[in-house]
């Protein structure tokens, strides 16, 4: 994996880069659609590649480990083969899901003991086996096993949690270094900055993470309930500490305006379920603002789903039709909204890259943030 | 609308035809995917046209009348515009849904009084307004408003029901003749044979229906719970009475073997929710037999969904992956299964047409019926 910065914005810390992987080169800043259990919900893989033009997708280790199970994925020759996706895949480490979905979880020094949310079966995730699991999934980018510190958490506990994450990181990297890539493509390991909403902890964590000199670095534990302003402050604290010549990945973020603000603060990679999850609830993101397509006001609006949209779903269906599908509970509604929203995210980041190239990202960002957060 | 018979099988009553409509020519025998409320569930319109290669789809008057409502469809310029579908649409008359879905329905001479299954609102369907509604939907083929006689029903009541259907038919045709096509394409009207499982009633009804000399004729009230053998007997009774030079449409049928048996008995048109509804439950039809994809036996089967399948969904995904999607409750599972099953139905009827051309449909049919009804 090799990262080259190709442009730096004049008025902000935004930058364009090329992230070369053995499954192709990503243009950053990049958004990664979330394919939780091996499927970006309601979207066919060919739509993801050809219409949405996703460069890379994310898989959830926790979900894939439970279903279909690592055996199935291994026998399929890795997740790419299993789901029929040739471009890169990043897998999260399962930490977030263990702490948000499971019953009877116990955090110990060795790892996280938990019961499956599906059948109550007992499992143990350790920094080591989480590396092995992601190797077997075939992730192009493997994430460290961390504790995603919940919000709010007091300073003392946040420090303890961060220190555990750091000790786990050292174990994870050792396991990664002592194991080999599977399925014939390169695998990379990204560590994760924690430290809750405390600047000194975030800085300390970023320094520890930077010291491992991995091919990319991530920021976790943000967008977990804290105000957006606090999130931006934390990014401003962390970003300059992380190596400039390595991609910075802000995990689980976010709304379109959050993403643009983070790009301005030097972030290169994003993932979030919002475009698909909110899409399935009828929320559409557009350049003019946010639409609740279930609203009566769209009943007779026969204009395209999104005149500025880049996908077939934007152009081939009308707002009135999409509203009807949602009101009637038709699956096709979720399909159209998911494609639209993912297409919107892709186009937004493409435009961001254009503006960074031109050196005027800052102005455009301020203007866009206002528009895309408006409720129509 | 013009129907030309292009081939007649040597050993059966199967025939090939061309049904010319102002929205294109259909090759019969033809299967019509059901787009209940303006969407063939879980399938994009471009998939329907380009991958499944549907020649015509069906809409449900009852559902479309309630949601989105006829006003919306009219303002959209008809259903074709509203849903973005250029090929022909046939709408059923709503009779079946009124009798199966609604509360407090009352059948009177004037029509069917009922309450919506959605909000309890009160409505009246008459043979006349059902024509007007289908005109406004923009159906290329408008169906008569009938009573779909439930099974079982005793002889006396079956006769009464049939006679009501015939009186309604006369009123419907008068309304049709006294109204004009909308949206610039031809609209046609098909009457429906009823008569439950009584041969003499079926013959009598077929004679009445034939006497109106419409552009096509339908058989209703079959596949409603009676044994398949009884259904085939009824078709054998009716089919020779209906004009040979007009398409014969068997409504709501059915499983793939039912369809081939009906083709052998002179039927030209079919519709059914089975490929999509059963698909959403994990039932896949293949040339080798019926698969329950949720079954554990497919867990490690990485062969394509259907090696003989004609759609991208058959070739781009494996059985093991599709099983995983179903077990995990992923929407994509329903999408893949629906495309596969519809593609299978289309290909089955394409093959039937090939065999009819060659004059050896009968042998092939007997062989296929056995295979495609086997549970794998």
């Amino acid at each position: 994996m090799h990262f080259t910065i190709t442009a730096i914005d004049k008025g902000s810390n935004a930058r364009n880069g090329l992230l070369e992987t053995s499954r192709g080169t990503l243009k950053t800043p990049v958004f990664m659609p979330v394919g939780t259990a091996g499927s970006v919900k309601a979207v066919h893989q060919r739509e993801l590649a050809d219409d949405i033009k996703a460069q890379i997708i994310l898989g959830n280790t926790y979900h894939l480990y439970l279903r279909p199970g690592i055996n199935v994925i291994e026998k399929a020759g890795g997740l790419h083969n299993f789901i029929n996706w040739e471009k890169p895949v990043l897998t999260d480490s399962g930490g977030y899901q263990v702490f948000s979905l499971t019953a009877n979880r116990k955090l110990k020094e060795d790892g996280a003991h938990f019961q499956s949310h599906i059948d109550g079966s007992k499992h143990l995730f350790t920094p080591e086996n989480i590396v092995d699991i992601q190797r077997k999934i075939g992730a192009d980018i493997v994430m460290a096993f961390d504790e995603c510190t919940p919000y709010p958490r007091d300073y003392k506990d946040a420090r303890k949690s961060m220190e555990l994450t750091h000790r786990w990181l050292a174990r994870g990297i050792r396991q990664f270094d002592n194991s080999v890539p599977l399925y014939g493509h390169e695998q990379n390991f990204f560590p994760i900055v924690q430290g809750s909403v405390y600047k000194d902890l975030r800085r300390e964590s970023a320094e520890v993470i930077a010291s491992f000199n991995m091919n990319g670095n991530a920021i976790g534990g943000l967008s977990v309930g804290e105000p957006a302003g606090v999130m931006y402050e934390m990014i401003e604290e962390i970003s300059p500490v992380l190596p400039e010549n390595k991609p910075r990945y802000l995990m689980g973020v976010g709304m379109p305006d959050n993403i643009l603000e983070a790009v301005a603060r030097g972030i290169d990679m994003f993932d979030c379920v919002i475009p698909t999850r909110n899409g399935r609830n009828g929320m559409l993101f557009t350049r003019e603002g946010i639409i609740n397509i279930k609203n009566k006001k769209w009943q007779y609006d026969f204009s395209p789903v999104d005149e500025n949209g880049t996908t077939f779903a934007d152009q081939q269906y009308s707002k009135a039709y999409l509203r009807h599908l949602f009101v009637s509970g038709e699956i096709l509604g979720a399909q159209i909204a998911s494609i639209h929203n993912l297409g919107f995210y892709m186009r937004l980041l493409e435009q961001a890259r254009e503006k960074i190239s031109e050196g005027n990202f800052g102005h455009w960002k301020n203007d866009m943030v206002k528009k895309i957060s408006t409720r129509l």
Side-chain angles (χ1 to χ4, degrees), chain A:
Chain A
M1 175 175 274
H2 189 74
F3 186 60
T4 317
I5 292 173
T6 56
I8 298 178
D9 184 46
K10 287 202 188 75
S12 76
N13 290 316
R15 72 256 188 93
N16 281 349
L18 292 174
L19 183 58
E20 292 166 59
T21 79
S22 51
R23 287 181 171 272
T25 298
L26 313 180
K27 291 179 186 174
T28 65
V30 63
F31 179 82
M32 306 183 276
V34 178
T36 313
S39 162
V40 175
K41 289 186 196 296
V43 177
H44 279 289
Q45 272 73 318
R46 72 171 190 183
E47 294 166 343
L48 212 47
D50 301 340
D51 300 297
I52 294 162
K53 303 191 195 302
Q55 304 185 69
I56 171 174
I57 63 172
L58 184 140
N60 284 121
T61 292
Y62 171 82
H63 290 287
L64 292 166
Y65 164 82
L66 292 177
R67 282 192 310 216
I70 299 307
N71 264 342
V72 170
I73 294 175
E74 267 195 290
K75 293 230 166 83
L79 186 69
H80 296 81
N81 274 0
F82 184 57
I83 73 172
N84 188 34
W85 176 256
E86 293 181 358
K87 296 187 211 177
V89 169
L90 178 150
T91 43
D92 72 359
S93 63
Y96 181 77
Q97 283 74 27
V98 165
F99 301 111
S100 60
L101 289 180
T102 66
N104 295 328
R105 60 187 168 281
K106 268 186 200 128
L107 213 59
K108 299 187 179 172
E109 188 63 32
D110 61 340
H113 301 252
F114 63 93
Q115 287 185 266
S116 156
H117 75 291
I118 299 165
D119 62 4
S121 55
K122 290 182 180 176
H123 303 272
L124 168 63
F125 277 173
T126 68
E128 290 84 6
N129 73 15
I130 276 297
V131 165
D132 298 341
I133 290 169
Q134 291 178 86
R135 287 263 197 218
K136 288 175 182 170
I137 289 173
D140 299 271
I141 300 175
V142 165
M143 298 304 300
F145 191 58
D146 63 336
E147 188 190 4
C148 179
T149 319
Y151 177 83
R153 183 165 267 195
D154 69 32
Y155 184 87
K156 203 179 131 192
D157 286 346
R159 170 169 286 284
K160 271 178 62 178
S161 168
M162 176 194 78
E163 287 172 351
L164 178 66
T165 287
H166 293 168
R167 290 194 300 277
W168 282 359
L169 174 59
R171 288 168 51 191
I173 290 179
R174 186 188 307 151
Q175 183 71 10
F176 185 77
D177 287 344
N178 292 330
S179 55
V180 293
L182 299 176
Y183 316 120
H185 63 261
E186 198 190 329
Q187 298 189 301
N188 297 278
F189 183 103
F190 283 17
I192 304 171
V193 173
Q194 288 289 349
S196 189
V197 294
Y198 305 104
K199 282 191 185 178
D200 64 324
L201 295 185
R202 285 292 181 176
R203 172 168 290 269
E204 182 179 334
S205 186
E207 283 165 356
V208 169
I209 268 58
S211 74
F212 282 98
N213 197 29
M214 303 306 282
N215 282 334
N217 299 291
I219 304 171
L222 289 179
S223 202
V224 292
E226 81 286 0
V230 173
M231 171 167 73
Y232 301 145
E233 271 181 57
M234 294 302 123
I235 299 171
E236 286 164 17
E237 195 67 27
I238 298 160
S239 200
V241 181
L242 296 178
E244 203 177 349
N245 61 342
K246 303 289 173 68
R248 305 182 186 115
Y249 163 31
L250 179 60
M251 303 184 78
V253 175
M255 292 285 277
D257 57 324
N258 300 149
I259 289 179
L260 294 188
E261 293 292 359
V263 166
R265 289 161 175 84
I267 302 296
D268 308 294
M269 301 171 70
F270 301 89
D271 81 279
C272 194
V273 294
I274 282 179
T276 43
R277 181 178 292 166
N278 294 25
R280 291 198 303 283
N281 290 322
M283 182 187 275
L284 304 186
F285 299 99
T286 79
R287 277 174 59 173
E288 281 72 44
I290 297 169
I291 286 176
N292 176 355
I293 197 67
K294 292 187 274 190
N295 199 301
K296 187 123 184 154
K297 72 186 281 193
W298 312 109
Q299 187 171 20
Y300 290 97
D301 187 330
F302 301 109
S303 68
V305 168
D306 184 357
E307 263 141 9
N308 301 308
T310 56
T311 73
F312 76 98
D314 294 308
Q315 303 302 331
Q316 295 188 357
Y317 304 111
S318 70
K319 294 186 183 75
Y321 179 58
L322 184 54
R323 175 186 186 268
H324 161 64
L325 294 175
F326 269 97
V327 170
S328 302
E330 289 287 340
I331 293 175
L332 186 60
Q335 297 174 239
I336 295 170
S338 300
I339 292 175
H340 160 75
N341 277 348
L342 288 172
F344 175 79
Y345 270 63
M346 293 301 140
R347 176 67 190 129
L348 188 69
L349 284 166
E350 189 182 44
Q351 276 196 291
R353 294 192 299 266
E354 289 162 11
K355 297 298 172 183
I356 293 168
S357 289
E358 296 163 8
N360 55 7
F361 174 79
H363 278 294
W364 173 81
K365 184 265 290 179
N366 290 337
D367 186 42
M368 282 303 278
V369 158
K370 258 179 242 154
K371 286 202 275 185
I372 60 184
S373 342
T374 310
R375 301 267 167 167
L376 294 180

